[in-house]
Amino acid sequence: YYETRPRDDAVPRKIHRLWGWSFYRCPLRHLGGNQLVRSDGQGFTTDVILTAIPEWSPSEIAVRFQIQQGIHTLHIFPAFPHSIDRPGHIDMWMSILSDDCVMIGRYDCPSAMYEASVITENAAAYMTGLGFRVFRTPGWNDGQDGYDGTHFSYTNCILVNGKVMVPQYGDPYGKEDAE
């Protein structure tokens, strides 16, 4: 999905050759961690999608999601700045746990204008308005003033058999791990 990483599609191409299956390169280029979906056809992404396919307008992107993935309503949120989270993926600060439940990062920072905090507070209110139960979990960037360090998140998780598997960071983040 990154044009600078052509080997990312090596496995589908190999299966195509080995098993004789059709190979289709979807024109909707986007990053896997930047798409969350609900079973009713709603999709959630960040505006990184707009830079991934700059030749398409937001409405053209929404139409492609509908045609190729059955997503009838595409919600586009602002991405975190690169100095907080380099890829700008939505799964680094939000995760759909079920059709009516979402987990969103909580970014406590001394500045009321800290972008991660503003984006996630607005997203929590928006998702509540859509009828979701919103659970908050800590998220942070360990750089000075929350910038240019490592972005830690519990929303980049996996759901398996009704369980949510979240990362654990250990010392010195034991308090955050417990939340």
Side-chain angles (χ1 to χ4, degrees):
Y1 50 83
Y2 284 112
E3 291 184 10
T4 59
R5 293 173 34 183
R7 294 177 55 190
D8 283 357
D9 290 331
V11 171
R13 283 192 182 107
K14 186 159 186 116
I15 290 172
H16 152 72
R17 285 191 302 275
L18 287 173
W19 296 347
W21 290 0
S22 298
F23 182 82
Y24 173 71
R25 185 164 191 89
C26 180
L28 181 59
R29 299 181 312 271
H30 70 98
L31 311 172
N34 199 32
Q35 178 180 343
L36 303 174
V37 296
R38 228 167 79 156
S39 68
D40 68 353
Q42 292 190 62
F44 305 85
T45 188
T46 68
D47 55 14
V48 167
I49 189 77
L50 305 177
T51 57
I53 314 171
E55 65 273 19
W56 292 354
S57 70
S59 59
E60 289 173 308
I61 291 170
V63 167
R64 290 293 184 151
F65 268 100
Q66 183 174 14
I67 291 169
Q68 295 171 345
Q69 298 183 4
I71 294 174
H72 65 74
T73 305
L74 183 63
H75 306 270
I76 301 176
F77 292 90
F80 283 7
H82 289 265
S83 57
I84 297 173
D85 179 66
R86 186 75 182 140
H89 294 181
I90 196 166
D91 69 351
M92 289 300 291
W93 57 267
M94 183 162 76
S95 183
I96 305 289
L97 302 177
S98 69
D99 279 349
D100 68 346
C101 184
V102 64
M103 180 168 56
I104 297 177
R106 183 187 68 247
Y107 293 80
D108 299 326
C109 193
S111 166
M113 299 311 296
Y114 183 59
E115 296 93 330
S117 182
V118 171
I119 290 168
T120 55
E121 292 304 315
N122 289 341
Y126 182 81
M127 297 301 281
T128 298
L130 290 178
F132 279 88
R133 289 178 297 138
V134 176
F135 294 93
R136 303 303 297 271
T137 186
W140 67 98
N141 181 301
D142 67 355
Q144 183 176 354
D145 297 323
Y147 296 98
D148 299 319
T150 300
H151 179 198
F152 292 88
S153 170
Y154 295 100
T155 60
N156 194 339
C157 59
I158 299 171
L159 286 88
V160 179
N161 296 328
K163 306 285 184 204
V164 180
M165 299 172 67
V166 298
Q168 298 291 298
Y169 299 111
D171 289 335
Y173 303 112
K175 175 184 166 280
E176 291 83 357
D177 284 351
E179 286 186 51

Coordinates of all heavy atoms in Angstrom, one line a residue, residues 85-160:
D85 N 2.2 11.3 16.0 CA 2.0 9.9 15.4 C 2.3 9.9 14.0 O 1.6 10.5 13.2 CB 0.6 9.4 15.7 CG 0.4 8.0 15.1 OD1 1.0 7.1 15.7 OD2 -0.4 7.9 14.2
R86 N 3.5 9.4 13.6 CA 4.0 9.5 12.2 C 3.0 9.0 11.2 O 2.8 9.7 10.2 CB 5.3 8.7 12.1 CG 6.0 8.9 10.8 CD 6.6 10.3 10.7 NE 7.2 10.5 9.4 CZ 7.1 11.6 8.7 NH1 6.5 12.6 9.2 NH2 7.7 11.6 7.6
P87 N 2.4 7.8 11.3 CA 1.6 7.3 10.2 C 0.2 8.1 10.1 O -0.4 8.1 9.0 CB 1.3 5.9 10.4 CG 2.2 5.5 11.5 CD 2.7 6.7 12.2
G88 N -0.3 8.6 11.2 CA -1.6 9.2 11.2 C -2.8 8.3 11.1 O -3.9 8.7 10.7
H89 N -2.6 7.0 11.5 CA -3.6 6.0 11.4 C -4.6 6.2 12.5 O -4.3 6.5 13.7 CB -3.1 4.6 11.6 CG -2.2 4.2 10.4 ND1 -1.6 3.0 10.4 CD2 -1.8 4.8 9.3 CE1 -0.9 2.8 9.3 NE2 -1.0 4.0 8.6
I90 N -5.9 6.0 12.2 CA -7.0 6.1 13.2 C -6.9 5.0 14.3 O -7.2 5.3 15.4 CB -8.4 6.1 12.5 CG1 -9.4 6.6 13.5 CG2 -8.7 4.7 12.0 CD1 -10.7 6.9 12.8
D91 N -6.3 3.9 14.0 CA -6.3 2.8 15.0 C -5.3 3.1 16.1 O -5.2 2.4 17.1 CB -6.0 1.4 14.4 CG -4.6 1.3 13.8 OD1 -3.8 2.3 13.7 OD2 -4.3 0.1 13.4
M92 N -4.5 4.2 16.0 CA -3.6 4.6 17.0 C -4.3 5.4 18.1 O -3.7 5.7 19.1 CB -2.4 5.3 16.5 CG -1.4 4.4 15.7 SD -0.8 3.1 16.7 CE 0.3 4.0 17.8
W93 N -5.5 5.8 17.8 CA -6.3 6.6 18.9 C -7.7 6.2 19.0 O -8.4 6.7 19.8 CB -6.1 8.1 18.7 CG -6.5 8.7 17.4 CD1 -5.7 8.9 16.3 CD2 -7.8 9.1 17.0 NE1 -6.4 9.4 15.3 CE2 -7.7 9.6 15.7 CE3 -9.0 9.2 17.7 CZ2 -8.8 10.1 15.0 CZ3 -10.1 9.7 17.0 CH2 -10.0 10.2 15.7
M94 N -8.2 5.3 18.1 CA -9.6 4.8 18.2 C -9.7 3.4 17.8 O -9.0 3.0 16.8 CB -10.5 5.7 17.4 CG -12.0 5.3 17.5 SD -13.1 6.6 17.0 CE -13.0 6.5 15.2
S95 N -10.6 2.6 18.4 CA -10.9 1.3 18.0 C -12.4 1.0 18.2 O -13.0 1.3 19.2 CB -10.1 0.3 18.9 OG -10.3 -1.0 18.4
I96 N -13.0 0.4 17.1 CA -14.4 0.0 17.2 C -14.4 -1.4 17.9 O -13.8 -2.3 17.4 CB -15.0 -0.1 15.8 CG1 -14.8 1.1 15.0 CG2 -16.4 -0.6 15.9 CD1 -15.7 2.3 15.5
L97 N -15.0 -1.5 19.1 CA -15.1 -2.7 19.8 C -16.3 -3.5 19.5 O -16.3 -4.8 19.6 CB -15.1 -2.4 21.3 CG -13.8 -1.6 21.8 CD1 -14.0 -1.3 23.3 CD2 -12.5 -2.4 21.5
S98 N -17.4 -2.9 19.1 CA -18.6 -3.5 18.6 C -19.4 -2.5 17.9 O -19.0 -1.3 17.8 CB -19.4 -4.1 19.8 OG -20.0 -3.0 20.6
D99 N -20.6 -2.8 17.4 CA -21.4 -1.9 16.6 C -21.8 -0.7 17.4 O -22.3 0.3 16.9 CB -22.5 -2.6 15.9 CG -22.2 -3.3 14.7 OD1 -21.0 -3.1 14.2 OD2 -23.0 -4.0 14.1
D100 N -21.8 -0.8 18.7 CA -22.2 0.3 19.6 C -21.2 0.7 20.6 O -21.5 1.5 21.6 CB -23.6 0.0 20.2 CG -23.5 -1.1 21.3 OD1 -22.4 -1.8 21.3 OD2 -24.4 -1.3 22.1
C101 N -20.0 0.3 20.5 CA -19.0 0.5 21.5 C -17.6 0.9 20.9 O -17.2 0.2 20.0 CB -18.8 -0.7 22.4 SG -17.7 -0.5 23.8
V102 N -17.0 2.0 21.3 CA -15.8 2.4 20.8 C -14.8 2.8 21.9 O -15.2 3.2 23.0 CB -16.0 3.6 19.8 CG1 -16.5 4.8 20.6 CG2 -14.7 4.0 19.1
M103 N -13.5 2.5 21.7 CA -12.5 2.9 22.6 C -11.7 4.0 22.0 O -11.2 3.9 20.8 CB -11.6 1.7 23.0 CG -10.5 2.0 23.9 SD -9.6 0.5 24.6 CE -9.1 -0.3 23.1
I104 N -11.5 5.1 22.7 CA -10.8 6.3 22.2 C -9.7 6.7 23.2 O -10.0 6.8 24.4 CB -11.8 7.5 21.9 CG1 -12.8 7.1 20.8 CG2 -11.0 8.7 21.5 CD1 -13.8 8.1 20.5
G105 N -8.6 7.0 22.7 CA -7.5 7.5 23.5 C -7.8 8.7 24.3 O -8.6 9.6 23.8
R106 N -7.2 8.9 25.4 CA -7.3 10.1 26.2 C -5.9 10.7 26.4 O -5.1 10.0 27.0 CB -8.0 9.8 27.6 CG -8.2 11.0 28.5 CD -8.6 10.7 29.9 NE -7.6 10.1 30.6 CZ -7.5 8.8 31.0 NH1 -8.6 8.0 30.8 NH2 -6.5 8.3 31.7
Y107 N -5.7 11.9 25.9 CA -4.4 12.5 25.9 C -4.4 13.7 26.9 O -4.9 14.7 26.5 CB -4.0 12.9 24.5 CG -3.8 11.7 23.6 CD1 -4.9 11.0 23.1 CD2 -2.5 11.2 23.4 CE1 -4.7 9.9 22.3 CE2 -2.4 10.0 22.6 CZ -3.5 9.4 22.1 OH -3.3 8.3 21.3
D108 N -3.9 13.4 28.1 CA -3.8 14.5 29.0 C -2.5 15.2 28.8 O -1.4 14.7 28.8 CB -3.8 13.9 30.5 CG -5.1 13.2 30.7 OD1 -6.1 13.6 30.2 OD2 -5.0 12.1 31.5
C109 N -2.6 16.5 28.6 CA -1.4 17.3 28.3 C -1.6 18.7 28.9 O -2.8 19.2 29.0 CB -1.2 17.4 26.8 SG 0.4 18.1 26.4
P110 N -0.6 19.4 29.3 CA -0.7 20.7 30.0 C -1.4 21.7 29.1 O -2.0 22.6 29.5 CB 0.7 21.1 30.3 CG 1.6 20.0 30.0 CD 0.8 18.9 29.3
S111 N -1.2 21.6 27.7 CA -1.8 22.6 26.8 C -3.2 22.2 26.4 O -3.4 21.1 25.9 CB -0.9 22.7 25.6 OG -1.5 23.5 24.6
A112 N -4.1 23.1 26.5 CA -5.5 22.8 26.1 C -5.6 22.7 24.5 O -6.5 22.1 24.0 CB -6.4 23.9 26.5
M113 N -4.5 23.1 23.9 CA -4.5 23.1 22.4 C -3.7 21.9 21.8 O -3.5 21.8 20.7 CB -4.0 24.4 21.8 CG -4.8 25.6 22.2 SD -6.6 25.4 21.9 CE -6.7 25.2 20.2
Y114 N -3.3 21.0 22.7 CA -2.5 19.8 22.3 C -3.4 19.1 21.3 O -4.5 18.6 21.6 CB -2.2 19.0 23.5 CG -1.3 17.8 23.1 CD1 -0.1 17.9 22.5 CD2 -1.7 16.5 23.5 CE1 0.7 16.8 22.2 CE2 -0.9 15.4 23.2 CZ 0.3 15.6 22.6 OH 1.1 14.5 22.3
E115 N -2.9 18.9 20.0 CA -3.7 18.4 18.9 C -4.3 17.0 19.2 O -5.5 16.7 18.9 CB -2.9 18.3 17.6 CG -2.5 19.7 17.1 CD -1.1 20.1 17.6 OE1 -0.7 19.7 18.7 OE2 -0.4 20.8 16.9
A116 N -3.6 16.1 19.8 CA -4.1 14.8 20.1 C -5.3 14.9 21.1 O -6.2 14.1 20.9 CB -3.0 13.9 20.7
S117 N -5.2 15.7 22.1 CA -6.3 15.9 23.0 C -7.5 16.5 22.3 O -8.6 16.0 22.5 CB -5.8 16.8 24.2 OG -6.9 16.9 25.1
V118 N -7.3 17.5 21.5 CA -8.4 18.2 20.8 C -9.1 17.2 19.9 O -10.3 17.0 19.9 CB -7.9 19.4 20.0 CG1 -9.0 20.0 19.1 CG2 -7.4 20.5 21.0
I119 N -8.3 16.4 19.1 CA -8.9 15.5 18.1 C -9.7 14.4 18.8 O -10.8 14.1 18.4 CB -7.8 14.9 17.2 CG1 -7.2 16.0 16.3 CG2 -8.3 13.7 16.5 CD1 -5.9 15.6 15.6
T120 N -9.1 13.8 19.9 CA -9.8 12.7 20.6 C -11.0 13.2 21.4 O -12.0 12.5 21.5 CB -8.8 11.9 21.4 OG1 -8.2 12.8 22.4 CG2 -7.8 11.2 20.6
E121 N -10.9 14.4 22.0 CA -12.1 14.9 22.7 C -13.3 15.1 21.7 O -14.4 14.8 22.0 CB -11.8 16.2 23.4 CG -10.8 16.0 24.6 CD -11.3 15.0 25.6 OE1 -12.5 15.0 26.0 OE2 -10.5 14.1 26.1
N122 N -12.9 15.7 20.6 CA -14.0 16.0 19.5 C -14.5 14.6 19.0 O -15.7 14.5 18.8 CB -13.4 16.8 18.4 CG -13.2 18.3 18.8 OD1 -13.7 18.7 19.8 ND2 -12.3 18.9 18.0
A123 N -13.6 13.7 18.8 CA -14.1 12.4 18.3 C -15.0 11.7 19.3 O -16.0 11.0 18.9 CB -12.9 11.5 18.0
A124 N -14.6 11.8 20.6 CA -15.5 11.1 21.6 C -16.9 11.7 21.6 O -17.9 11.0 21.7 CB -14.8 11.3 23.0
A125 N -17.0 13.0 21.5 CA -18.3 13.7 21.4 C -19.0 13.3 20.1 O -20.2 13.0 20.2 CB -18.1 15.2 21.5
Y126 N -18.3 13.2 19.0 CA -18.9 12.9 17.7 C -19.5 11.4 17.8 O -20.6 11.2 17.4 CB -17.9 13.0 16.6 CG -18.4 12.7 15.3 CD1 -19.1 13.7 14.5 CD2 -18.1 11.5 14.7 CE1 -19.6 13.4 13.3 CE2 -18.6 11.2 13.4 CZ -19.3 12.2 12.7 OH -19.8 11.9 11.4
M127 N -18.6 10.5 18.3 CA -19.0 9.1 18.4 C -20.2 8.9 19.3 O -21.1 8.1 19.1 CB -17.9 8.2 18.7 CG -16.7 8.3 17.7 SD -17.2 7.7 16.0 CE -17.2 6.0 16.2
T128 N -20.2 9.7 20.4 CA -21.4 9.6 21.3 C -22.6 10.1 20.6 O -23.7 9.4 20.7 CB -21.1 10.5 22.6 OG1 -20.0 10.0 23.3 CG2 -22.3 10.5 23.5
G129 N -22.5 11.1 19.8 CA -23.6 11.6 19.0 C -24.1 10.6 18.0 O -25.3 10.6 17.6
L130 N -23.2 9.7 17.5 CA -23.6 8.6 16.6 C -24.3 7.4 17.3 O -24.7 6.4 16.7 CB -22.4 8.1 15.8 CG -21.8 9.0 14.8 CD1 -20.6 8.3 14.1 CD2 -22.8 9.4 13.7
G131 N -24.3 7.5 18.7 CA -25.0 6.4 19.5 C -24.0 5.4 20.1 O -24.4 4.4 20.6
F132 N -22.7 5.7 20.0 CA -21.7 4.8 20.6 C -21.6 5.0 22.1 O -21.7 6.1 22.5 CB -20.3 5.0 19.9 CG -20.1 4.4 18.6 CD1 -20.5 5.0 17.4 CD2 -19.5 3.1 18.5 CE1 -20.3 4.4 16.2 CE2 -19.3 2.5 17.3 CZ -19.7 3.2 16.1
R133 N -21.3 3.9 22.8 CA -20.8 4.0 24.1 C -19.3 4.2 24.0 O -18.6 3.5 23.2 CB -21.0 2.7 25.0 CG -22.5 2.5 25.3 CD -22.7 1.2 26.1 NE -22.4 0.1 25.2 CZ -21.7 -1.0 25.6 NH1 -21.3 -1.1 26.9 NH2 -21.4 -2.0 24.8
V134 N -18.7 5.2 24.6 CA -17.3 5.6 24.4 C -16.6 5.3 25.7 O -16.9 5.7 26.8 CB -17.2 7.1 24.1 CG1 -15.7 7.5 24.0 CG2 -17.9 7.4 22.8
F135 N -15.5 4.5 25.5 CA -14.6 4.2 26.6 C -13.3 4.9 26.3 O -12.9 4.9 25.2 CB -14.4 2.6 26.8 CG -15.6 1.9 27.2 CD1 -16.4 1.3 26.2 CD2 -15.9 1.8 28.5 CE1 -17.6 0.7 26.6 CE2 -17.0 1.1 28.9 CZ -17.9 0.5 28.0
R136 N -12.7 5.5 27.3 CA -11.4 6.2 27.2 C -10.3 5.4 27.8 O -10.5 4.7 28.8 CB -11.5 7.6 27.8 CG -12.7 8.4 27.3 CD -12.7 8.7 25.8 NE -11.5 9.4 25.3 CZ -11.4 10.7 25.2 NH1 -12.4 11.5 25.6 NH2 -10.3 11.3 24.8
T137 N -9.1 5.5 27.1 CA -7.9 4.8 27.6 C -6.8 5.7 27.4 O -6.8 6.5 26.5 CB -7.8 3.4 26.9 OG1 -6.7 2.7 27.4 CG2 -7.5 3.6 25.4
P138 N -5.7 5.6 28.2 CA -4.6 6.5 28.1 C -3.9 6.4 26.7 O -3.8 5.3 26.2 CB -3.7 6.2 29.2 CG -4.5 5.4 30.2 CD -5.6 4.7 29.4
G139 N -3.4 7.5 26.2 CA -2.5 7.5 25.1 C -1.5 8.6 25.3 O -1.9 9.6 26.0
W140 N -0.3 8.5 24.8 CA 0.7 9.6 25.0 C 1.8 9.4 24.1 O 2.1 8.4 23.5 CB 1.2 9.6 26.5 CG 2.0 8.4 26.9 CD1 3.3 8.3 26.9 CD2 1.5 7.1 27.2 NE1 3.7 7.0 27.3 CE2 2.6 6.3 27.5 CE3 0.2 6.5 27.4 CZ2 2.5 4.9 27.9 CZ3 0.1 5.2 27.8 CH2 1.3 4.4 28.0
N141 N 2.5 10.5 23.9 CA 3.8 10.6 23.2 C 4.8 11.0 24.2 O 4.7 12.0 24.9 CB 3.8 11.6 22.0 CG 5.0 11.6 21.2 OD1 6.1 11.9 21.8 ND2 4.9 11.4 20.0
D142 N 5.9 10.2 24.4 CA 6.8 10.4 25.5 C 7.9 11.5 25.1 O 8.8 11.7 25.9 CB 7.5 9.1 25.9 CG 8.4 8.5 24.9 OD1 8.5 9.0 23.7 OD2 9.1 7.5 25.2
G143 N 7.8 12.2 24.0 CA 8.7 13.2 23.7 C 8.4 14.5 24.5 O 7.4 14.6 25.2
Q144 N 9.3 15.4 24.5 CA 9.1 16.7 25.2 C 7.8 17.4 24.8 O 7.5 17.6 23.6 CB 10.3 17.6 24.9 CG 10.2 18.9 25.8 CD 11.4 19.8 25.6 OE1 12.4 19.4 24.9 NE2 11.4 21.0 26.1
D145 N 7.0 17.7 25.8 CA 5.7 18.3 25.6 C 4.7 17.5 24.7 O 3.8 18.0 24.1 CB 5.8 19.7 25.1 CG 6.5 20.6 26.0 OD1 6.4 20.5 27.2 OD2 7.3 21.5 25.5
G146 N 5.0 16.2 24.7 CA 4.1 15.3 23.9 C 4.4 15.2 22.4 O 3.6 14.7 21.6
Y147 N 5.6 15.7 22.0 CA 6.0 15.7 20.6 C 7.3 15.0 20.4 O 8.2 14.9 21.2 CB 6.1 17.1 20.0 CG 4.8 17.9 20.1 CD1 4.5 18.7 21.1 CD2 3.9 17.7 19.0 CE1 3.3 19.5 21.1 CE2 2.7 18.4 19.1 CZ 2.4 19.3 20.1 OH 1.2 20.0 20.1
D148 N 7.5 14.4 19.1 CA 8.7 13.9 18.6 C 9.3 12.8 19.5 O 10.6 12.6 19.5 CB 9.8 15.1 18.5 CG 9.3 16.1 17.5 OD1 8.7 15.7 16.4 OD2 9.5 17.3 17.8
G149 N 8.5 12.0 20.1 CA 8.9 10.8 20.8 C 8.2 9.6 20.3 O 7.8 9.6 19.1
T150 N 8.0 8.6 21.1 CA 7.3 7.4 20.7 C 5.8 7.6 21.1 O 5.5 8.0 22.3 CB 7.9 6.2 21.5 OG1 9.2 6.0 21.1 CG2 7.1 4.9 21.1
H151 N 4.9 7.3 20.2 CA 3.5 7.3 20.5 C 3.0 6.0 21.1 O 3.2 5.0 20.5 CB 2.7 7.6 19.2 CG 1.2 7.7 19.4 ND1 0.4 7.6 18.4 CD2 0.5 7.9 20.5 CE1 -0.9 7.7 18.8 NE2 -0.8 7.9 20.1
F152 N 2.5 6.0 22.3 CA 2.0 4.8 23.0 C 0.5 4.9 23.0 O -0.1 5.9 23.2 CB 2.5 4.8 24.5 CG 4.0 4.6 24.6 CD1 4.9 5.7 24.6 CD2 4.5 3.3 24.7 CE1 6.2 5.5 24.7 CE2 5.9 3.1 24.9 CZ 6.7 4.2 24.9
S153 N -0.1 3.7 22.6 CA -1.5 3.7 22.5 C -2.0 2.3 22.9 O -1.4 1.3 22.6 CB -1.9 4.0 21.0 OG -3.3 3.7 20.8
Y154 N -3.2 2.3 23.5 CA -3.9 1.0 23.8 C -5.0 0.7 22.8 O -5.6 -0.4 22.8 CB -4.4 1.0 25.2 CG -3.3 1.1 26.3 CD1 -3.0 2.3 26.9 CD2 -2.6 0.0 26.6 CE1 -2.0 2.4 27.8 CE2 -1.6 0.0 27.5 CZ -1.3 1.2 28.1 OH -0.3 1.3 29.0
T155 N -5.3 1.6 21.9 CA -6.4 1.4 21.0 C -5.9 0.6 19.8 O -6.8 0.1 19.1 CB -6.9 2.8 20.5 OG1 -5.9 3.5 19.8 CG2 -7.5 3.6 21.6
N156 N -4.7 0.5 19.5 CA -4.2 -0.4 18.5 C -4.2 -1.8 19.0 O -3.2 -2.4 19.4 CB -2.8 0.0 18.0 CG -2.3 -0.6 16.7 OD1 -2.9 -1.6 16.3 ND2 -1.4 0.0 16.1
C157 N -5.4 -2.4 19.0 CA -5.6 -3.6 19.7 C -6.2 -4.7 18.8 O -6.6 -4.4 17.6 CB -6.6 -3.4 20.9 SG -8.2 -2.7 20.5
I158 N -6.4 -5.9 19.3 CA -7.0 -7.0 18.5 C -8.2 -7.5 19.3 O -8.1 -7.7 20.5 CB -6.0 -8.1 18.2 CG1 -4.8 -7.5 17.5 CG2 -6.6 -9.2 17.5 CD1 -3.6 -8.5 17.4
L159 N -9.3 -7.8 18.6 CA -10.4 -8.4 19.2 C -10.5 -9.9 18.8 O -10.5 -10.2 17.6 CB -11.7 -7.7 18.8 CG -11.9 -6.3 19.4 CD1 -11.3 -5.3 18.6 CD2 -13.4 -6.1 19.6
V160 N -10.5 -10.8 19.7 CA -10.5 -12.2 19.5 C -11.5 -12.9 20.4 O -11.3 -12.8 21.6 CB -9.1 -12.8 19.6 CG1 -9.1 -14.3 19.4 CG2 -8.1 -12.1 18.8

